[in-house]
Structures are given as C-alpha cells and as structure tokens.
C-alpha cells in the first residue's frame, strides 16, 4: 500500500469509515469510536507493511549448493547464500528455487534472524498471469498503421473483460484478441520471474548473514543403467552408470551431488500436469566411491566432483568402471497348472537369461535400473536385449532375461479331471522340449501349481519351489526332443 500524503489519506479514510459505520444505525459518537478502533488496526498493519524492507538474496550470492537425489522422484536441496541484511523487519526473498518444491518442507537457517512467516511464490510473470490481475480495469493498446507511406502509432484504451481468452471492451465494441501492444504502468508485485521463497523475518543487526535454505522437491530422480558386455566363454564385463534427470524447474550449478538408493516415504505433493519433458543428454565418466550405508536401509553414492544439473537435463554419471563377472546363460520355460482344465495343448515361451552373482571382491549394492546386454562381435558390438532389475544386495544373484530362444521350443499338454465329488482336481502334465539348434541346450522348466497340492508321480526328479510349484532341469541334445511328465492332485 502506498500513501504519498499520509495526513490527507488518513483524514479521507477516517471520514469514509465513519460514514459507513453510521450507515449501520449507530449515532455519531459511537460511529467515531468504532471507526477510531478500526483505523488503529489498519494503521498498525500499514506501519508494519511499510517497515518491512524487501531484500533479495539471489543466485549470484550463492556460496554452496548440495543436492541429494533419491530414486523415488524426490530431491533434498540445501542452498547456502550470503548477503548484507539491514536491521529490523525484512521481507527476505530467495529466488531461483525449484518450481516443484514441497512448501511444507522449506526452512531457513541464519544466525540472529527470527522468521515469523514463510511464503512460496510460484505464479510467474507471463501474459496470462499479468492480465488476470487487471480484470475490469483499463488497459492501453498501441499499434502502428500505415498512412501516406509512413507508419503512425495509434493509441486506444479499453476495459479488460477476460484474460484467457483476451476480451476487451473499446467503447461500444467488444474485441476478442485485440491487435496491439499492451502498455502497463507497473507489474503486479506478487508475480515473480522465477519461483521464489519469501520469509518475513526480524534481523537484530545490520551485517552480512549466511542464509541456508533447505527444501524437498519433486522432479529430481535417478536410476541405474548397466552395460553387460558378453565375452568369450563364461566371462562378461559389467559397467554401472547413474542416469540423473532434472525436471524440478531449477538449475543447480556447481552442486555437490549425492545419489541415494532405497525406499523413502515422500510427502504428498500435487501431481504435475505438464507433459513429459524432453531432456538434454550429458555423460560424464568420473567414478564414484563405494556407496556408504545411510542407516540400515539406504545407500548413498557421492559424486566425487562438483557438477551442474540443468533443468530438463538427463546426466549420466559413472557408478563404477567395467569389472569382470562370471556369467551363466540359462533357458527358462514357465508353465501354469490350470485347475479345472480337462485338456489343453499350448506352446510355452522359452526365455534366454544371463545370471551372475553380485559377490566378487569389488561387489557393491546394485540400485534398481536397466541392464542392457551386448555381445562383442568380430566387426562390431551387437545389442542382445535388456531388462529391468530390482535392488540387488551384495551376495545375491542377478538374473537378466533378454528375449526368447530361437531354436528351443516347449509344448505343454495337460489332461485333468475332478475327484472327491468336485473337492479335488487331478492334473497330468507332459512337457516336450524340442532343440532345433546345432548345440545341446540345458533348459529349466518351472511349473506353477496353485492352491494346496500333492505330487502323485513324475518321470524325472524335480525340485520343489516353496510357494510356487516344481522345477525340472533337462539337457536336450542338438536336433532332438526330451519329454518330462508329472501328475498332481490339487485342492482349493
């Protein structure tokens, strides 16, 4: 509120308030008393608003920046800046922060500074946001018209009826999307060029202050990308990369970056409505140290150097260099015993999988991500396939399924009937494994059996999978077939 002539404005305001109070049936004396009380409150508010000095501590005053990115679309930003603050009541502005900030998580730390109020301004400067503040008010439009071989500037004034779409009344006419340039005497104070945190705070003494703001934000995430390159025989090389994406709406320049793997319950935040962003790609090959444990359930990977993470950028950072793993190629076919099916005959997909133990000397926890498998050829590297893996602790097995086998097929036949007046179901299953290739193949047959069941007979020794069913491992010579059969009785 601006009061260029406080005495005149105060007298006018006092008269207006007294007249309005009298309109409610109060006598003159009561009206003057009530208006005096109201004016005292307003005067106190005006005084406080005038005393609060606007101080902006911008990105150029930043002294340190730390960003912790979780693999659950969440980031923790610690932004330290320094500026000279005058004493008294301040409106402290912190521009250039994340647009997807969780307002309830923001905090400010500074010596001898007492915060009494916090605000998050994310309605940014733009034509639509500016016009929405001028609804029902007069706007000036100007445009250039050609007259006699030269251009003249034509001015006209109209009342803004709607901001989106732009509808303006010029005298007796109403125009939608009128031509011309809009001239404004001022910009609304509440609109900011970038998302901004504001604090109303009291400062004891005029001097330089170190200000540390912390907040959580959506739009920061990462996942692991692994390259598994198959060599000769059973050896392969595994390289780990971290794929970090920034869709938070802010740039993080020269930041100390830490990546955290593990489940974190994040605060509820509104889901952004914006379309999926297009990211710029950047790749950096500085290795990270072995992850450190954060408590018992999280692991932190610290980038060894300062790095910049720009908005709408995807950055690749190397988690660890190539290391040798002992690899096993597997063929797996999965079937399901159908309770109630009298007779069925169906082909079963045979999946190709590559497995290795995450248990060598330099083993470290593997965050969830995508494993891309390649094979080195004589002339070029060939892509074999890819699959996602969940988080893998040290000592656990990693299995990557890359696609279907070309030369191995499995045909599954099931014949069944009900027993015990419909209270049980007996199923007899035959699995025929056909190898059309030039080498013998070792195939694992996994059979899922629902409910409570009992094995009646089988043609080959099986291994029981607790809570799942049975599995068989068969070796099929080149160009031949192998048959495996079993029978079970199931009860719901």
């Amino acid at each position: 509120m601006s009061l260029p002539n406080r005495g005149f404005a105060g007298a006018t305001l006092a008269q207006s308030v007294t007249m309005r109070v009298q309109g409610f049936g109060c006598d003159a004396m009561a009206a003057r008393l009530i208006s005096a009380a109201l004016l005292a409150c307003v005067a106190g508010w005006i005084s406080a608003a005038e005393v609060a000095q606007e101080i902006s501590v911008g990105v150029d005053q930043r002294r340190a920046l730390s960003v912790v990115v979780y693999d659950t679309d969440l980031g923790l930003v610690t932004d330290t800046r320094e500026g000279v603050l005058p004493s008294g009541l301040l409106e402290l502005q912190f521009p250039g922060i994340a647009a997807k900030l969780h307002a309830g998580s923001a905090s400010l730390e500074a010596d001898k500074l007492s915060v009494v109020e916090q605000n998050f301004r994310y309605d940014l400067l733009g034509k639509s946001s500016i016009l929405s503040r001028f609804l029902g008010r007069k706007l000036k439009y100007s445009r250039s018209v050609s007259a006699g071989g030269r251009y003249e500037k034509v001015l006209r004034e109209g009342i803004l009826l709607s901001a989106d779409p732009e509808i303006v009344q010029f005298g007796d006419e109403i125009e939608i999307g009128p031509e011309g340039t809009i001239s404004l005497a001022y910009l609304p104070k509440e609109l900011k060029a970038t998302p901004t945190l504001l604090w109303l705070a009291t400062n004891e003494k005029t001097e330089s202050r170190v200000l540390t703001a912390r907040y959580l934000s959506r739009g920061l995430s990462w996942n692991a990308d692994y390259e598994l390159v198959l060599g000769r025989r059973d050896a392969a090389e595994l390289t780990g990369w971290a794929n970090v994406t920034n869709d938070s709406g802010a740039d993080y320049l020269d930041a100390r970056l830490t990546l955290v793997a593990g489940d974190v319950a994040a605060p509820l935040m509104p889901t952004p409505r914006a379309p999926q962003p297009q990211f710029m790609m950047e790749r950096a090959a500085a290795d990270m140290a072995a992850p450190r444990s954060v408590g018992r359930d999280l692991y932190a990977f610290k980038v060894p150097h300062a790095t910049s993470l720009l908005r709408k950028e995807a950055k690749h950072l190397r988690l660890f260099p190539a290391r040798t793993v002992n690899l096993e190629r597997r063929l797996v076919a999965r079937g399901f015993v159908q309770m109630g099916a009298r007779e069925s005959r169906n082909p079963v997909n045979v999946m190709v999988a590559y497995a290795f133990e995450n248990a060598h000397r330099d083993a470290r926890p593997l965050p969830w991500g995508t494993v891309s498998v390649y094979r080195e050829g004589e002339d070029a590297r060939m892509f074999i396939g890819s699959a996602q893996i969940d988080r893998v602790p040290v000592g656990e097995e990693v299995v990557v399924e890359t696609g279907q086998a070309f030369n191995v097929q499995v045909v599954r036949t099931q014949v069944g009937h009900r027993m015990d007046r419909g209270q049980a179901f007996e199923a007899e299953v035959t699995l025929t494994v056909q190898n059309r290739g030039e080498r013998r193949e070792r195939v694992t047959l996994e059979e899922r059996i629902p409910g409570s069941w009992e094995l009646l007979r089988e043609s080959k020794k099986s291994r029981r999978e607790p809570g799942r069913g049975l599995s068989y491992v068969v070796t099929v010579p080149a160009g031949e077939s192998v048959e495996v059969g079993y029978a079970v009785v199931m009860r719901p």
Side-chain angles (χ1 to χ4, degrees), residues 336-346 412 414-418 425-428 490:
F336 183 82
V337 179
Q338 301 179 31
M339 184 177 293
R342 293 187 176 182
E343 186 172 353
S344 63
R345 179 181 174 85
N346 301 298
R412 189 175 184 283
Q414 176 180 324
V415 178
H417 63 275
R418 294 195 175 275
F425 183 83
E426 181 179 335
E428 188 163 346
M490 298 177 291

Side-chain angles (χ1 to χ4, degrees), residues 133-444:
R133 267 71 174 179
F134 287 87
L135 290 174
R137 303 174 66 178
K138 290 184 178 181
L139 293 180
K140 293 180 180 179
Y141 285 78
S142 64
R143 60 191 178 99
S144 297
V145 296
S146 178
R150 59 178 184 163
Y151 286 93
E152 294 182 356
K153 193 173 185 179
V154 177
L155 300 175
R156 56 179 181 163
E157 199 171 63
I159 298 175
L160 183 64
L161 303 179
S162 171
D164 188 17
E166 187 179 341
I167 303 175
V168 182
Q169 181 176 358
F170 296 99
D172 297 332
E173 295 183 352
I174 294 177
E175 295 187 18
I176 301 175
E179 182 183 355
T181 301
I182 303 173
S183 299
L184 300 173
Y186 67 95
L187 286 175
K189 177 184 174 181
E190 65 271 19
L191 296 180
K192 301 297 179 182
T194 63
T196 301
L197 276 169
L198 293 92
W199 290 280
L200 189 65
T202 55
N203 185 29
E204 294 182 6
K205 183 180 179 182
T206 300
E207 60 182 357
S208 180
R209 295 270 188 253
V210 176
L211 310 170
T212 300
R214 289 189 180 87
Y215 58 84
L216 295 171
S217 176
R218 290 290 192 192
L220 289 165
S221 61
W222 80 283
N223 65 276
D225 283 330
Y226 303 97
E227 293 178 357
L228 184 65
V229 182
L230 309 183
R232 295 182 178 180
R233 297 183 180 179
D234 298 330
E237 287 190 340
L238 179 70
T239 306
W241 293 86
N243 179 36
V244 189
T245 57
N246 177 16
D247 188 35
S248 67
D251 294 327
Y252 306 99
L253 304 179
D254 298 324
R256 291 174 295 156
L257 184 61
T258 302
L259 309 178
V260 176
D263 283 325
V264 174
L268 294 177
M269 303 184 194
T271 302
R273 300 180 183 178
Q276 290 295 321
Q278 300 297 317
F279 293 103
M280 297 294 293
M281 301 296 295
E282 183 180 340
R283 200 165 198 178
D287 298 328
M288 300 186 197
R292 70 179 189 275
S293 176
V294 182
R296 297 184 179 181
D297 305 305
L298 302 175
Y299 284 92
F301 299 79
K302 188 173 182 178
V303 178
H305 59 278
T307 186
S308 294
L309 189 59
L310 305 180
R311 71 190 73 188
K312 297 188 183 300
E313 180 182 51
K315 183 184 291 289
H316 270 71
L317 300 166
R318 196 159 67 185
L319 282 174
F320 54 83
R323 63 191 189 208
T324 302
V325 295
N326 295 322
L327 202 66
E328 180 186 357
R329 176 180 176 271
R330 299 174 182 173
L331 298 181
V332 182
R334 298 182 179 91
F336 183 82
V337 179
Q338 301 179 31
M339 184 177 293
R342 293 187 176 182
E343 186 172 353
S344 63
R345 179 181 174 85
N346 301 298
V348 179
N349 294 331
V350 180
M351 304 302 296
V352 180
Y354 295 92
F356 62 91
E357 294 286 339
N358 185 31
H360 49 85
R361 185 181 61 183
D362 299 325
R364 61 182 65 189
L366 300 180
W368 77 271
T370 302
V371 182
S372 298
V373 184
Y374 302 86
R375 182 180 293 279
E376 291 288 11
E378 295 182 359
D379 300 324
R381 177 177 291 186
M382 303 293 292
F383 175 67
I384 304 299
S386 65
Q388 284 196 343
I389 62 170
D390 205 348
R391 301 179 181 98
V392 182
V394 174
E396 293 292 323
E397 184 181 60
V398 181
V399 180
V400 183
E401 294 188 356
T402 58
Q404 295 185 29
F406 195 92
N407 293 315
V408 179
Q409 297 177 334
V410 174
V411 177
R412 189 175 184 283
T413 303
Q414 176 180 324
V415 178
H417 63 275
R418 294 195 175 275
M419 305 168 52
D420 297 338
R421 300 180 181 180
Q423 298 300 311
F425 183 83
E426 181 179 335
E428 188 163 346
V429 178
T430 303
L431 302 167
T432 304
V433 186
Q434 303 170 341
N435 180 9
R436 304 303 187 193
E438 298 178 353
R439 297 180 180 180
R440 69 176 183 177
E441 296 284 7
R442 192 166 181 260
V443 184
T444 300

Side-chain angles (χ1 to χ4, degrees), residues 21-232:
V21 173
Q22 285 179 327
F24 286 98
C26 297
D27 57 31
M29 179 59 72
R32 284 195 294 271
L33 291 174
I34 295 174
S35 63
L38 292 173
L39 286 171
C41 295
V42 173
W45 176 81
I46 293 174
S47 176
E50 288 179 326
V51 170
Q53 304 171 71
E54 293 184 11
I55 301 296
S56 179
V57 183
V59 176
D60 58 333
Q61 296 169 272
R62 180 176 285 157
R63 297 295 176 264
L65 180 63
S66 170
V67 182
V68 180
V69 181
Y70 298 83
D71 60 1
T72 53
D73 186 34
L74 184 68
L76 172 62
V77 179
T78 303
D79 192 343
T80 301
R81 305 179 188 182
E82 186 175 0
V84 177
L85 305 183
S87 60
L89 187 63
L90 308 177
E91 184 185 83
L92 189 60
Q93 301 183 10
F94 223 74
I97 50 93
K100 296 183 179 179
L101 170 148
H102 176 51
S105 69
S107 65
L108 178 68
E109 291 182 10
D111 291 337
K112 301 178 183 179
L113 193 71
S114 177
V115 176
V116 296
E117 183 179 311
Q118 174 179 290
N119 298 284
F120 176 40
R121 298 275 174 83
Y122 54 91
D123 196 1
L124 305 183
L125 283 171
K127 184 176 181 180
S128 178
S129 61
I130 292 174
L131 290 182
S132 66
R133 267 71 174 179
F134 287 87
L135 290 174
R137 303 174 66 178
K138 290 184 178 181
L139 293 180
K140 293 180 180 179
Y141 285 78
S142 64
R143 60 191 178 99
S144 297
V145 296
S146 178
R150 59 178 184 163
Y151 286 93
E152 294 182 356
K153 193 173 185 179
V154 177
L155 300 175
R156 56 179 181 163
E157 199 171 63
I159 298 175
L160 183 64
L161 303 179
S162 171
D164 188 17
E166 187 179 341
I167 303 175
V168 182
Q169 181 176 358
F170 296 99
D172 297 332
E173 295 183 352
I174 294 177
E175 295 187 18
I176 301 175
E179 182 183 355
T181 301
I182 303 173
S183 299
L184 300 173
Y186 67 95
L187 286 175
K189 177 184 174 181
E190 65 271 19
L191 296 180
K192 301 297 179 182
T194 63
T196 301
L197 276 169
L198 293 92
W199 290 280
L200 189 65
T202 55
N203 185 29
E204 294 182 6
K205 183 180 179 182
T206 300
E207 60 182 357
S208 180
R209 295 270 188 253
V210 176
L211 310 170
T212 300
R214 289 189 180 87
Y215 58 84
L216 295 171
S217 176
R218 290 290 192 192
L220 289 165
S221 61
W222 80 283
N223 65 276
D225 283 330
Y226 303 97
E227 293 178 357
L228 184 65
V229 182
L230 309 183
R232 295 182 178 180

